[in-house]
Amino acid sequence: MRIEIFGKNYNPSDSLKAITEKKCAKLDRRFDDDAEVKFTVTYENGDYTTDMVVTAKGITYRASAQSESPFDNIDEVIPRLLGQVRKQKDIWEKDKKGGVVDTPDDEE
């Protein structure tokens, strides 16, 4: 998994990069090695906005958070994204199990 961290009006510190990579270890279980994770940290009007985009197997997941600390945003963004992945997985499993098959009633 490739992790990229960008900053707009903000230079991400080494500690932010280290913590981000450590917390992204939770994502390793869900995604293959070809997955791309992109964090964009934006500083504007005293608040930090963190956008996370994960692209894997042609599917894109996105999550965003805003607070006064970029470190708090990471703690919010990753669980939101994992929730999206979990929800998508449940939908796919439901489709694989099959739904109710409508059969014509014999009305004679």
Side-chain angles (χ1 to χ4, degrees):
M1 178 173 353
R2 288 190 1 224
I3 300 172
E4 297 177 3
I5 302 172
F6 303 102
K8 291 183 180 177
N9 300 331
Y10 174 74
N11 285 332
S13 63
D14 292 334
S15 61
L16 180 66
K17 291 178 182 180
I19 289 173
T20 302
E21 290 176 4
K22 181 180 176 183
K23 298 217 181 220
C24 282
K26 293 179 182 179
L27 299 174
D28 282 335
R29 296 180 294 190
R30 302 281 183 176
F31 297 107
D32 294 337
D33 291 336
D34 353 343
E36 294 181 15
V37 181
K38 294 181 183 179
F39 282 92
T40 304
V41 181
T42 307
Y43 180 72
E44 188 173 25
N45 298 330
D47 284 336
Y48 293 92
T49 304
T50 303
D51 297 315
M52 179 179 178
V53 178
V54 177
T55 305
K57 294 183 182 178
I59 301 172
T60 302
Y61 300 96
R62 292 187 178 143
S64 181
Q66 183 175 3
S67 72
E68 295 178 356
S69 170
F71 297 97
D72 293 340
N73 288 344
I74 293 171
D75 292 335
E76 290 182 32
V77 167
I78 293 176
R80 286 182 187 177
L81 191 115
L82 287 173
Q84 291 178 17
V85 173
R86 196 174 307 116
K87 184 176 178 180
Q88 188 68 37
K89 181 181 175 189
D90 290 344
I91 291 170
W92 285 340
E93 286 179 356
K94 191 180 289 185
D95 288 344
K96 287 182 181 178
K97 289 179 184 176
V100 177
V101 178
D102 291 334
T103 56
D105 295 333
D106 292 333
E107 296 181 20
E108 293 180 13

